[in-house]
């Protein structure tokens, strides 16, 4: 296990659940298993982050990704390598 990993925070509050955060969590797990991201990230489920209207919400390196999906997450991870 690497000594240093970046955290990816995925909101699992009630509004984000309605907007599909469970599917997004699965997709995020797939993304961080890709070759160039493998072992570098840790997924953390959070409670509401107060961006409910724009859920599902993901935070990567202090960047809030609203209405997150697999593509937006991939782009954010590539931008914050
Ligand atoms: S429920 Fe996800 S930001 Fe509020």
């Amino acid at each position: 296990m690497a000594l240093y990993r970046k955290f990816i925070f995925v909101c699992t509050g009630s509004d984000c659940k309605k907007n599909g955060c469970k599917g997004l969590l699965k997709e995020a797990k797939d993304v961080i298993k890709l070759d160039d991201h493998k072992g570098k990230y840790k997924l953390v489920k959070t409670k509401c982050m107060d961006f409910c209207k724009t859920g599902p919400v993901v935070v990567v390196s202090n960047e809030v990704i609203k209405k997150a999906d697999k593509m937006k997450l991939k782009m954010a991870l590539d931008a914050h390598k």
Side-chain angles (χ1 to χ4, degrees):
M1 185 169 73
L3 289 175
Y4 176 78
R5 288 198 225 176
K6 290 183 178 176
F7 291 102
I8 299 171
F9 297 99
V10 180
C11 176
T12 56
S14 57
D15 283 332
C16 285
K17 256 185 201 154
K18 281 182 213 156
N19 291 325
C21 74
K22 286 199 170 176
L24 181 65
L25 264 173
K26 282 183 190 163
E27 289 176 345
K29 282 180 188 169
D30 292 341
V31 169
I32 62 172
K33 285 179 186 168
L34 294 176
D35 282 344
D36 35 336
H37 301 310
K38 205 169 191 171
K40 294 180 184 168
Y41 296 97
K42 172 83 179 154
L43 269 181
V44 180
K45 296 179 198 173
T46 70
K47 293 184 176 175
C48 180
M49 293 192 266
D50 214 14
F51 296 100
C52 305
K53 296 224 184 313
T54 55
V57 173
V58 175
V59 175
V60 178
S61 298
N62 294 334
E63 180 187 346
V64 178
I65 305 168
K66 297 175 179 176
K67 297 191 187 235
D69 58 21
K70 195 173 182 175
M71 280 309 297
K72 285 184 182 177
L73 182 59
K74 264 187 187 173
M75 284 170 35
L77 292 185
D78 289 340
H80 296 288
K81 269 187 181 176

